[in-house]
Amino acid sequence: MRIEIWADVVCAWAYIGKRRLEKALEGLEPVETVWRPFRIDPAAPVPAVPLAGVLRDPLVDDALRACAPGLTPAENRVRVSRIAAAEGLGPPWGAAWHGSSHDAHRLLALAYRHGGASLQDAVAERIMRAHFVEGRDIGDAGALADIASDAGFGEAAALLADGAGDGEVKEAVLVGKARGVATSPTLVVGDRALAGAQPPEAIREFLRDAGRHAPRSLPPEVERFRYAEALLDRRDPLGALTLLGPLFGEHGADRNVMMLAARAYYASAQLGRAAAVLEELVAQVPDDSFARHLLGRTLRRQGRAEEAAPQLAMAAVMTPEYAE
C-alpha cells in the first residue's frame, strides 16, 4: 500500500499528523509513505520575514481568527502547541519565519527521487523540526543544505542550486488541486482521501477501508488528461495547459486532447491558439457542433464577427441549445 501525504511543511497540523500516522502504522504491515506538496500560502515571501511582524498585521489577524473561530490567534497558538506537546513535539514549539515552502518541497521531491520513501521521510522530519522546534528559516538555501546533509543527502545542495525539482513540484501541486486536495495534511490512498490530522484510530480505519477498495489503475497519459480536465472544471485553465503539455507530443493529434486544449486556451483568453485548434477540429469533423460553437464564440471575441456568424448559425442548426 502507498500512502500519499499531501501537506505543507509549514503547517503545524502536518507535523502533528505525521506523528499520528506513525502511531497508526505501528504493528501494521510495512507501507510506503510519500510526501506530496501542498501550499497553504503560495504568495509567501522570498526571502522569508520574521513571523512576529507578520502576526501584527490586522489582515493576518482576521484571517487567523477565521481559522479558529472563538479563539484569538494567540490562544490558538497555545492550543496547537499543547496538542503538539501531547504528540511528543517540542518544547520549544512555534515557527519563527514566514516564507515560501517551495524550495523545501523541492528538497522533498529530490529526496524521494534519489533515495526513495525512507530518505524522503527523514528529510521531512528534519524540515519540520527545523521550522517548528528550532525556529529556522527553511526557505534559506544554507538551512536546507544542512537539513539534507544531516539526513544523509549530501548532494542535495548542488541539485537545489541548479533548480532541480522546480517543475516537478509545480506540477505536483496542480495534480493535488485536480484531485481535490484542499487541506494540509490530507492522506490519499488510491482514490480515497482523509483530510486533516486525524487520530490514529481514524487513520487505521481509513487505511482498512482504502485497502478493501483498490482503484483500477489507468495509463499515465489517461490519468494526466483527467487531471487536466479536472483543473479546467475548477477554473484553472493555465494549470490544465501545464498538465496537458507533455501530451502534446505523442498525443497532440488526439481529438480529446485538442478539444481540451482549445477549451483551456479559450478560458485563458489565448484566442489565437484556441481558434487555430478549433479550425483544425472543425475541418476534421464538420458536424462537431460544439467545436463550431466554440470556434464562433472565439472568433467573435477576437472581433471577427463576420467569420463567427456562420459558425454560430451552423452550430445552432445542428444543436438547437446552442442558439443565441
Side-chain angles (χ1 to χ4, degrees):
M1 176 185 289
R2 168 186 282 189
I3 303 171
E4 294 179 310
I5 309 170
W6 294 83
D8 198 339
V9 289
V10 296
C11 169
W13 293 107
Y15 204 5
I16 292 168
K18 183 177 189 295
R19 284 292 182 271
R20 291 178 175 179
L21 174 61
E22 291 165 349
K23 291 178 182 177
L25 293 176
E26 290 176 359
L28 299 183
E29 292 292 323
V31 301
E32 181 186 40
T33 58
V34 182
W35 289 83
R36 304 294 193 199
F38 180 87
R39 298 288 301 280
I40 292 176
D41 182 7
V46 179
V49 297
L51 183 59
V54 176
L55 294 176
R56 289 194 291 269
D57 186 328
L59 293 177
V60 173
D61 187 80
D62 289 343
L64 292 174
R65 287 178 184 275
C67 291
L71 297 176
T72 67
E75 290 170 338
N76 187 50
R77 288 196 294 277
V78 171
R79 177 181 73 95
V80 174
S81 67
R82 288 174 177 168
I83 295 171
E87 300 295 341
L89 302 173
W93 175 266
W97 295 90
H98 173 60
S100 172
S101 58
H102 179 71
D103 285 348
H105 286 299
R106 286 173 56 215
L107 176 57
L108 285 173
L110 293 168
Y112 184 75
R113 187 197 304 171
H114 287 263
S118 59
L119 177 60
Q120 188 191 45
D121 191 70
V123 170
E125 176 68 31
R126 285 163 175 78
I127 287 174
M128 288 187 282
R129 178 173 180 81
H131 184 67
F132 289 106
V133 178
E134 299 169 1
R136 299 183 71 184
D137 172 12
I138 60 169
D140 176 73
L144 289 176
D146 290 344
I147 289 167
S149 178
D150 188 47
F153 187 22
E155 61 268 45
L159 292 169
L160 289 172
D162 286 342
D166 183 71
E168 182 178 345
V169 168
K170 290 176 179 176
E171 185 172 287
V173 169
L174 291 173
V175 169
K177 182 178 179 180
R179 295 178 69 175
V181 175
T183 299
S184 173
T186 296
L187 303 184
V188 175
V189 177
D191 60 356
R192 294 176 178 264
L194 179 68
Q198 301 294 335
E201 301 77 19
I203 296 174
R204 278 178 173 263
E205 180 59 32
F206 165 72
L207 296 178
R208 282 193 290 267
D209 182 64
R212 291 192 293 264
H213 300 86
R216 179 172 63 91
S217 60
L218 297 171
E221 63 273 15
V222 174
E223 191 172 68
R224 177 176 287 274
F225 178 86
R226 291 190 174 181
Y227 290 153
E229 193 172 39
L231 285 178
L232 187 57
D233 290 341
R234 293 175 182 275
R235 299 175 183 264
D236 185 357
L238 294 178
L241 289 167
T242 297
L243 292 189
L244 275 179
L247 298 181
F248 289 154
E250 186 176 352
H251 303 281
D254 182 276
R255 284 188 59 81
N256 292 317
V257 173
M258 293 176 68
M259 178 56 75
L260 187 58
R263 291 172 54 206
Y265 286 139
Y266 178 83
S268 58
Q270 299 182 64
L271 301 180
R273 291 181 175 180
V277 175
L278 290 165
E279 285 168 351
E280 185 175 349
L281 286 169
V282 168
Q284 290 177 5
V285 184
D287 63 351
D288 186 335
S289 62
F290 178 73
R292 283 194 181 276
H293 178 67
L294 188 56
L295 175 57
R297 293 177 62 185
T298 301
L299 294 171
R300 188 169 59 189
R301 284 183 65 183
Q302 288 184 299
R304 299 159 65 184
E306 290 186 6
E307 296 172 74
Q311 301 293 345
L312 293 170
M314 291 178 67
V317 169
M318 288 186 281
T319 304
E321 67 186 69
Y322 292 150
E324 298 182 352

